Amino acid sequence: EPTEISPEIILNLELLLKHKKKKKRKNKSWSQRRNAVEEKWEEHREDILSAVILNNSFDGLCQYCKFEKIAVKCDTCFWKKLCIKCDEKLHVEYPMHNRIGIFDGFKRTLSPSETVDEESVIIDKYPTIPLMPINCQSCDSYNVERIPGDCVAVVTIAGKYYLHLYSLRCKDCDSTSNPFTLENVVGSGFWPSAPTKFSYLFHVETLQFWDTLRKNAPGTSEAAFLEVLNTMTNLHGRKTGKITPAIFSMAFKEWCFCQHKIHILQKKKWIECPSCTHVQHSCHVDGNCKLYRYRSSG
């Protein structure tokens, strides 16, 4: 005898048949997807403009303490909008952040040597280089005071800065020490223009960036790269003058030679480059022959 089929099973079968008959949605082509993205951009341009304008506003409370009104906007900090006290507190250790203040209703870029008081008046200060360590070398205490010294040039990917060397005076043992040794400077991520005199310091990231750029864009000159850094300096309102090409060139060559010596210690043999390996470097028909010529030429 035929068994009775429940209505629930019949409904499921009908849904399954409809699903099979349903045509598959065609994937959009690349041009259609690009057109859809462009339409979305055009549709939301006003919203994006409103968001940018709101981000540049100085209305509201400090994002760090959430108590005082906003006085300074920092493009680098996680907390973008800061009051006077929080700005001074945070940027003692991070003087190379790009900051903007508002004076008489107009925005103005703030150099590392400038801060703002309660009456929106610019006060000069002595920003120091962010160097490690910050503890006393005699008693290992962190209760130390920085005594600013000579002003030196510091170059990063954001341009040129003028910051101060400093000495550490310990408030516990009353000793004074100079933290600016070659080991501390290199360990803090800087490369000096000379091994004994730190009148110019280059952030290692800047040297790495130029090394990568010149290898991937061989047509770019060192002079053009330095001009870009000078433009970035002016863009952020720092009146520090241009980077000296001869000093940068010498520091970069010494950094490259140091990297070469490190590669030797790591046993990286760049001259031995077979054209067919699992980590292929070149596939030119006479690639290995060229390497042999380089080796024989010394």
Side-chain angles (χ1 to χ4, degrees):
E1 295 181 1
T3 57
E4 185 178 354
I5 302 174
S6 65
E8 185 178 352
I9 296 177
I10 295 174
L11 180 62
N12 289 337
L13 289 172
E14 289 177 352
L15 291 174
L16 183 61
L17 290 172
K18 287 182 180 179
H19 179 71
K20 286 186 175 181
K21 290 180 180 179
K22 189 177 180 180
K23 294 182 179 179
K24 291 184 178 180
R25 187 179 62 178
K26 293 183 178 179
N27 292 329
K28 292 183 178 180
S29 64
W30 169 252
S31 60
Q32 289 175 329
R33 293 198 299 271
R34 293 305 306 165
N35 291 335
V37 172
E38 290 178 3
E39 290 174 1
K40 288 295 182 183
W41 272 108
E42 187 173 356
E43 181 182 347
H44 291 85
R45 276 174 187 163
E46 292 298 326
D47 297 334
I48 295 170
L49 178 61
S50 300
V52 173
I53 293 174
L54 181 63
N55 182 60
N56 284 276
S57 171
F58 277 71
D59 297 331
L61 298 178
C62 171
Q63 294 178 343
Y64 187 76
C65 68
K66 304 185 186 302
F67 182 72
E68 300 287 343
K69 66 178 183 178
I70 298 170
V72 174
K73 181 177 178 291
C74 178
D75 293 333
T76 315
C77 283
F78 176 77
W79 298 277
K80 301 293 183 184
K81 300 177 181 180
L82 304 168
C83 65
I84 295 170
K85 294 179 181 178
C86 293
D87 170 59
E88 187 174 358
K89 176 182 177 181
L90 292 174
H91 292 113
V92 168
E93 298 295 336
Y94 304 102
M96 293 184 288
H97 285 188
N98 298 315
R99 301 174 299 138
I100 299 174
I102 190 164
F103 307 95
D104 298 327
F106 294 93
K107 291 182 179 179
R108 181 186 181 281
T109 55
L110 295 170
S111 70
S113 62
E114 294 176 333
T115 187
V116 186
D117 66 2
E118 299 290 344
E119 298 179 356
S120 297
V121 177
I122 295 177
I123 301 175
D124 291 333
K125 61 177 183 177
Y126 297 94
T128 56
I129 298 170
L131 188 72
M132 297 296 288
I134 56 173
N135 59 318
C136 176
Q137 301 301 302
S138 300
C139 65
D140 204 31
S141 171
Y142 284 88
N143 188 19
V144 294
E145 177 187 5
R146 296 184 184 184
I147 303 174
D150 295 336
C151 184
V152 300
V154 180
V155 179
T156 72
I157 201 67
K160 183 180 177 182
Y161 299 80
Y162 276 147
L163 301 177
H164 289 264
L165 303 175
Y166 62 88
S167 57
L168 290 176
R169 187 180 69 83
C170 181
K171 296 180 180 179
D172 292 337
C173 66
D174 202 31
S175 64
T176 303
S177 59
N178 179 21
F180 282 87
T181 62
L182 186 60
E183 181 181 355
N184 287 344
V185 169
V186 174
S188 299
F190 296 100
W191 191 262
S193 59
T196 55
K197 188 176 181 181
F198 306 132
S199 58
Y200 247 95
L201 293 177
F202 297 94
H203 200 278
V204 172
E205 183 184 9
T206 309
L207 303 178
Q208 291 172 340
F209 185 86
W210 167 234
D211 186 43
T212 305
L213 180 64
R214 72 189 182 108
K215 290 175 180 176
N216 289 273
T220 305
S221 66
E222 186 176 279
F225 174 69
L226 293 180
E227 194 58 37
V228 171
L229 295 182
N230 292 328
T231 303
M232 292 295 294
T233 303
N234 295 329
L235 179 65
H236 295 294
R238 296 189 295 270
K239 308 299 181 183
T240 56
K242 293 189 174 184
I243 302 168
T244 307
I247 294 177
F248 177 84
S249 181
M250 175 63 72
F252 179 70
K253 288 175 182 177
E254 290 295 332
W255 178 81
C256 287
F257 181 73
C258 182
Q259 298 304 305
H260 169 67
K261 300 295 287 185
I262 291 173
H263 291 162
I264 292 176
L265 293 175
Q266 294 174 339
K267 297 183 179 180
K268 291 182 179 179
K269 300 179 180 179
W270 298 111
I271 203 67
E272 296 180 6
C273 179
S275 58
C276 295
T277 62
H278 64 283
V279 185
Q280 185 171 327
H281 183 276
S282 64
C283 57
H284 196 275
V285 64
D286 63 344
N288 286 344
C289 294
K290 283 185 171 66
L291 293 175
Y292 297 145
R293 290 197 211 106
Y294 292 148
R295 174 182 289 173
S296 62
S297 65

